[in-house]
Amino acid sequence: MTSPAVPRQPLLDDAVILLHAPTQAWSGRDGDIGDAAIDGVYHGDVRHLRSVRVSVAGSGIETISRSIIDAGTAEFGSVLRGLDDDAADPKVRLIRRREVSAGVVSESLRLHSHRDVPLRFAVTVELAPEFAPMQDVKAGLATAMPWRAEAVAASGTAPGRVEVISADGHRSFQLEAAGAAATIAEAIVLRWEVELEPHSVTDIGWSATLDDDTLVVGAASNAELAVPSADDPRLARWIRQATQDLAALRLVRPADPEDAFYAAGAPWFFTLFGRDSIWAARLALAADPGIAASTLRVLARLQGTKSDPATAEQPGKIPHELRSAPLSLPNEGVHLPPLYYGTVDATPLWVCLLADARDAGMPEAEVRELVPALRAALTWITDFGSGTGSGFLDYVDETGHGLANQGWKDSGDSIQWRDGRLAEGPIALCEVQAYAYEAAVRGAQLLDDLGEDGGAKLREWATALRTRFREAFWVTTPEGRYPAIALDAHGAAVDSLTSNIGHLIGTGILDADEERACAELLLGASMSSGFGIRTLSTGAAGFWPLSYHGGSVWAHDTAVTVHGMLRSGLVTEARLIAGQLVDAAEGFAYRMPELHSGDGRDIVPFPTPYPASCRPQAWSAAAAIVCAEAYAAS
């Protein structure tokens, strides 16, 4: 007896993704949309179209090429051998060009004939509306929502179109296809009768304009990012791809159309994420300095003003994520409100980004406008961040259906002992103490420079935190002496060796000798995969190279370490690690995924994909900018 299939999150690594936030299209390598669980045309957090399939009467479509032109454009080349003569060479070709812009997906189908006789055949495009929520797609539970469609006849020079509307009336799209006859049934079928003369080319095509009146984010105006130069041609290719992807991931809130931020990534995270958007802006500062200031403003407008356990809001706290509707992930037992504050690190990171932006030239008037938000964030760090009163910033989910872990490693099994046991919360993460220390010191300097009071008190608090950290976090295991990943509910140091210690470098919470010791461990065989730093040491019982946070490699995580090393003068170490990321980028055709396997290069010649990894991911793309800085450092 066969047991029923368990719903699974879709795999992503072999798909073709085109995007311009908040719109994206996922397809197979042949260009057709619909065969894989992730396939579809998405706008915001809804999959508007489940499938888009092309067929040619009298011939199969055999794909022979795929060209990714930019973040939103690709061409798929095919031959139509059913329309050929008896010669060996194919003489009839189809070039399918897909373009994704904000709110629009279009395809042009160019038919080439090298035959000596005219050809008459039909081309059809079948499109299946769905309107399934993104969260259902992620859970493997997507089903088509009810929809209705109406064909509108052509008038004058305007082509005919088909208007498709979801049953709730909030989502819709309009199809236009010049010269096509449209049939509406369980799907929408567009049909062209093609007359292809000898040695000629004929173009047909369609476009879909998508709308969702519930969206809380929208497309940002186009921006040209600075492209750092690089002597290494592989790094140069990665930077070009990364800056294209970062430009395509820019979003705004409709109420603040001038203030852009980076969406976290595709496909699941096309929205504002406090931690992700901050780190992406911080790592990409050299290429896109303006987005740091606008990200700060967007998050300041959503900064907490009250205490609400249901949303994890507290006064001064920077939010975790913003969506247009509650997020429910039944496979994970997670149910989040549309505006959710369950993050322990976004608030100190907001202060650090403000300091970085000011150092990079953010006008003083703009900095002064954010002083109230700065004071509120600093007060949250010193007065609200320690829920247990331990003096360390910590977290615990009070609802039972929020995020169990609220640092960047937010999966349920990410905080574990060397023997594999899971740590019991509340949890105080090592890197969060480092962010808080840096925020207090640099926040104090900001206040001093602006003629504001409060700096001395912040420095006293930071000094005391640094002392407490040294007393509580350092552990000695068979792998060496290093800071523990966290303190658990009992104040015990959770003794796994993890990539988290890389986030401490450059913050000031460690002295120079301690930073060098951490760098040496991170470059050691148990942590360095050869394609980046593993999230968990191979010496830990829970290590698994395909574990989301327990042995995999995250590009941004490794880049944060590079970023800190450069600030601390550990240039040689920074270059070594940056070189590993460049090697990884080459293995992923220079579009770095969210994460990849922690398999070592002594085992595999190329990085192994983590098959459910998102891409592009803003902070993974931004890692290229930091690597360019490492390569250029002297």
Side-chain angles (χ1 to χ4, degrees):
M1 180 177 178
T2 302
S3 60
V6 177
R8 300 284 188 186
Q9 181 173 326
L11 301 185
L12 309 175
D13 63 293
D14 202 39
V16 175
I17 162 65
L18 301 175
L19 73 152
H20 188 141
T23 308
Q24 54 187 317
W26 289 74
S27 76
R29 298 170 71 85
D30 62 355
D32 260 358
I33 296 174
D35 289 338
I38 187 56
D39 282 6
V41 172
Y42 300 80
H43 186 60
D45 277 342
V46 171
R47 183 160 65 186
H48 285 229
L49 282 163
R50 176 64 182 94
S51 63
V52 180
R53 303 182 190 277
V54 176
S55 60
V56 175
S59 180
I61 300 174
E62 298 174 89
T63 302
I64 60 172
S65 68
R66 184 188 79 257
S67 301
I68 307 300
I69 297 168
D70 58 35
T73 310
E75 287 189 350
F76 306 88
S78 306
V79 293
L80 306 177
R81 293 195 292 174
L83 303 179
D84 270 343
D85 57 22
D86 293 334
D89 294 340
K91 292 183 178 178
V92 186
R93 301 178 67 186
L94 167 64
I95 305 298
R96 182 178 183 179
R97 182 183 178 96
R98 178 175 300 137
E99 298 184 55
V100 176
S101 57
V104 180
V105 176
S106 62
E107 286 190 356
S108 63
L109 307 175
R110 172 162 286 190
L111 295 140
H112 298 245
S113 175
H114 192 62
R115 292 201 57 187
D116 296 326
V117 297
L119 300 172
R120 305 289 182 266
F121 54 90
V123 176
T124 61
V125 177
E126 182 179 291
L127 307 100
E130 184 183 60
F131 299 111
M134 179 77 80
Q135 61 192 22
D136 291 355
V137 178
K138 185 178 184 182
L141 299 170
T143 57
M145 301 292 106
W147 54 274
R148 64 183 186 276
E150 178 182 358
V152 180
S155 61
T157 60
R161 66 180 186 273
V162 177
E163 296 183 351
V164 185
I165 304 171
S166 63
D168 63 9
H170 291 299
R171 288 99 187 174
S172 64
F173 62 87
Q174 289 189 354
L175 282 174
E176 293 191 358
T183 302
I184 301 169
E186 292 184 0
I188 298 165
V189 178
L190 306 174
R191 180 183 175 93
W192 291 263
E193 298 295 337
V194 175
E195 299 182 1
L196 192 55
E197 299 300 323
H199 303 282
S200 68
V201 176
T202 293
D203 292 303
I204 58 178
W206 62 272
S207 66
T209 302
L210 307 112
D211 185 60
D212 184 339
D213 64 20
T214 70
L215 286 185
V216 292
V217 295
S221 58
N222 292 332
E224 293 292 332
L225 278 69
V227 180
S229 60
D231 293 333
D232 185 319
R234 299 176 307 149
L235 177 57
R237 287 186 63 183
W238 183 19
I239 291 169
R240 284 195 297 272
Q241 181 67 61
T243 51
Q244 287 181 10
D245 286 338
L246 287 169
L249 286 165
R250 290 164 60 94
L251 284 171
V252 297
R253 295 177 66 218
D256 309 302
E258 301 303 316
D259 283 338
F261 56 87
Y262 290 130
W268 318 124
F269 309 119
F270 260 28
T271 189
L272 175 69
F273 276 75
R275 174 195 312 115
D276 301 54
S277 298
I278 290 170
W279 262 127
R282 199 175 185 196
L283 296 174
L285 193 60
D288 194 1
I291 206 165
S294 55
T295 299
L296 289 162
R297 287 191 289 267
V298 169
L299 290 168
R301 295 182 186 111
L302 297 172
Q303 192 173 28
T305 59
K306 63 183 183 299
S307 294
D308 183 357
T311 63
E313 181 180 358
Q314 291 175 318
K317 195 175 185 183
I318 297 298
H320 175 57
E321 66 181 283
L322 172 70
R323 294 188 183 270
S324 58
L327 176 67
S328 180
L329 301 174
N331 294 0
E332 303 173 33
V334 171
H335 305 278
L336 306 181
L339 179 58
Y340 180 58
Y341 288 82
T343 169
V344 71
D345 53 7
T347 307
L349 286 171
W350 185 95
V351 177
C352 295
L353 179 61
L354 178 60
D356 284 353
R358 195 248 191 178
D359 291 347
M362 183 177 174
E364 183 173 310
E366 294 184 22
V367 177
R368 286 190 179 277
E369 289 176 358
L370 291 173
V371 167
L374 170 63
R375 287 194 175 279
L378 290 167
T379 299
W380 182 85
I381 293 169
T382 58
D383 294 4
F384 290 93
S386 180
T388 61
S390 66
F392 295 112
L393 274 68
D394 53 27
Y395 62 85
V396 67
D397 172 41
E398 297 184 45
T399 67
H401 54 75
L403 295 177
N405 283 311
Q406 297 182 4
W408 87 260
K409 292 180 178 175
D410 57 3
S411 58
D413 63 351
S414 61
I415 313 302
Q416 54 180 274
W417 297 79
R418 288 188 75 246
D419 63 9
R421 290 176 295 128
L422 298 185
E424 180 184 349
I427 297 289
L429 294 166
C430 68
E431 76 273 18
V432 175
Q433 316 317 311
Y435 303 156
Y437 175 83
E438 181 185 353
V441 171
R442 299 183 75 192
Q445 189 63 53
L446 277 171
L447 293 175
D448 288 352
D449 293 346
L450 295 171
E452 299 277 340
D453 61 8
K457 185 177 180 181
L458 283 166
R459 289 187 182 89
E460 291 176 6
W461 183 89
T463 299
L465 174 64
R466 193 172 189 259
T467 299
R468 290 194 301 272
F469 181 88
R470 182 165 283 104
E471 293 171 349
F473 271 83
W474 283 84
V475 297
T476 301
T477 76
E479 295 188 82
R481 185 171 181 270
Y482 51 85
I485 184 176
L487 304 182
D488 72 358
H490 310 289
V494 181
D495 60 354
S496 292
L497 174 58
T498 66
S499 62
N500 300 55
I501 65 173
H503 292 229
L504 312 181
I505 299 172
T507 64
I509 203 165
L510 304 179
D511 64 29
D513 289 340
E514 292 166 342
E515 288 183 326
R516 280 191 293 271
C518 287
E520 184 177 345
L521 283 168
L522 293 171
L523 283 163
S526 71
M527 290 299 296
S528 175
S529 72
F531 299 113
I533 297 170
R534 296 183 177 100
T535 45
L536 180 65
S537 165
T538 58
F543 170 79
W544 175 242
L546 288 174
S547 170
Y548 195 59
H549 290 131
S552 61
V553 173
W554 289 62
H556 93 278
D557 180 35
T558 300
V560 168
T561 295
V562 174
H563 176 263
M565 287 177 168
L566 291 174
R567 296 170 68 196
S568 293
L570 300 172
V571 174
T572 300
E573 294 85 349
R575 284 176 177 166
L576 286 171
I577 296 174
Q580 293 188 22
L581 285 182
V582 173
D583 290 345
E586 181 181 21
F588 290 109
Y590 302 101
R591 177 174 264 177
M592 188 69 93
E594 176 188 21
L595 69 154
H596 55 272
S597 166
D599 289 329
R601 68 185 310 157
D602 57 329
I603 299 172
V604 292
F606 301 103
T608 302
Y610 179 88
S613 181
C614 298
R615 73 184 198 288
Q617 196 85 347
W619 56 16
S620 294
I625 311 303
V626 174
C627 289
E629 293 175 312
Y631 271 48
S634 58

